[in-house]
Amino acid sequence: SEHANEAYNELNQEQKDICQSIFKTLTEKGGDNRGVRRPTPVYEIAEIANTTADKVIDVVEHFRLPGRSFLAPAPPTILTEESVIDISHESLMRIWDKLIVWVSEEYEAVQMYKRLADSAEKYQLGETALWRPPDLLLALSWRDKQKPTLTWAKRHHPAFERTMVYLETSDREFKLEEENKIKQQKRALRRTR
């Protein structure tokens, strides 16, 4: 854990964000609450992290230096956009404190997205209503923090566009309702006066 933190602390803020995205992409929470490896090509990690393949490779290189080898393939393999990146040792998923937190955050983000996607599907079928607080506020907060990309979303539920439209529609309708309530309160106050 300390060794991995040492590599992480060498990165600047942009690289740390990319690093977090790399490890969240390569690790998934399994049914038994343990991390499961998910090897992924560099270009896909870049799309999920909303960055370039070169920047992803640059960060990956920090974690595969001689004496570190947290990520595979091991040197001297030269990384390209097509290279498949994987965690070298499963023990890293059990002992690196940052990775344990990231995997947990990613699991929660995926659960929120799946709930939202299911509601969007049911809404389209006329089986449920738009989201309202507190679920709506949690979902908006999730979207702003997670900044989900199409590539990330497709790994968990294919209907990304429909889901985001559902969230935006829920937000817009709630805001309109709130504005109407304020107008009605003002009218009632004027009538009372």
Side-chain angles (χ1 to χ4, degrees):
S1 184
E2 286 176 23
H3 201 183
N5 281 334
E6 185 181 294
Y8 177 77
N9 290 332
E10 290 173 1
L11 305 173
N12 64 36
Q13 190 55 53
E14 181 189 18
Q15 291 172 320
K16 285 179 178 178
D17 294 342
I18 293 168
C19 175
Q20 185 173 339
S21 197
I22 290 169
F23 281 97
K24 282 181 174 182
T25 302
L26 298 177
T27 315
E28 192 172 75
K29 202 177 225 183
D32 57 355
N33 255 358
R34 293 176 61 191
V36 176
R37 288 159 56 177
R38 191 170 188 172
T40 308
V42 168
Y43 72 86
E44 192 173 318
I45 295 170
E47 287 172 11
I48 290 170
N50 207 12
T51 190
T52 65
D54 288 340
K55 288 182 179 182
V56 169
I57 289 169
D58 189 40
V59 172
V60 168
E61 291 295 354
H62 279 276
F63 288 87
R64 55 177 229 139
L65 291 171
R68 283 194 181 146
S69 65
F70 292 117
L71 296 174
T77 306
I78 295 171
L79 299 179
T80 66
E81 281 190 2
E82 301 297 321
S83 300
V84 175
I85 306 300
D86 192 8
I87 291 177
S88 309
H89 306 289
E90 289 195 5
S91 61
L92 183 64
M93 293 183 282
R94 290 189 303 275
I95 60 172
W96 188 16
D97 55 355
K98 283 188 182 354
L99 184 53
I100 292 166
V101 170
W102 293 339
V103 169
S104 226
E105 287 174 357
E106 184 70 359
Y107 177 78
E108 294 301 319
V110 169
Q111 295 312 304
M112 173 58 80
Y113 173 65
K114 285 180 177 178
R115 273 188 56 220
L116 194 55
D118 288 344
S119 291
E121 186 175 347
K122 287 178 181 171
Y123 180 74
Q124 190 175 27
L125 298 171
E127 297 174 5
T128 193
L130 293 170
W131 274 19
R132 304 183 50 71
D135 288 338
L136 174 61
L137 300 177
L138 290 171
L140 292 170
S141 172
W142 161 81
R143 181 194 61 193
D144 296 342
K145 182 179 181 220
Q146 180 70 26
K147 295 178 180 52
T149 62
L150 177 61
T151 307
W152 176 86
K154 283 194 303 191
R155 296 172 72 134
H156 309 292
H157 193 288
F160 178 65
E161 288 90 354
R162 175 180 66 197
T163 303
M164 292 298 103
V165 166
Y166 173 74
L167 179 57
E168 288 160 18
T169 304
S170 294
D171 186 32
R172 188 172 54 250
E173 287 300 313
F174 177 69
K175 285 177 180 170
L176 282 173
E177 280 178 30
E178 292 300 299
E179 286 172 17
N180 285 337
K181 281 181 192 173
I182 291 169
K183 286 178 186 172
Q184 286 174 350
Q185 286 172 346
K186 285 180 180 175
R187 271 191 229 121
L189 188 62
R190 266 185 266 149
R191 263 187 263 130
T192 305
R193 283 184 187 153

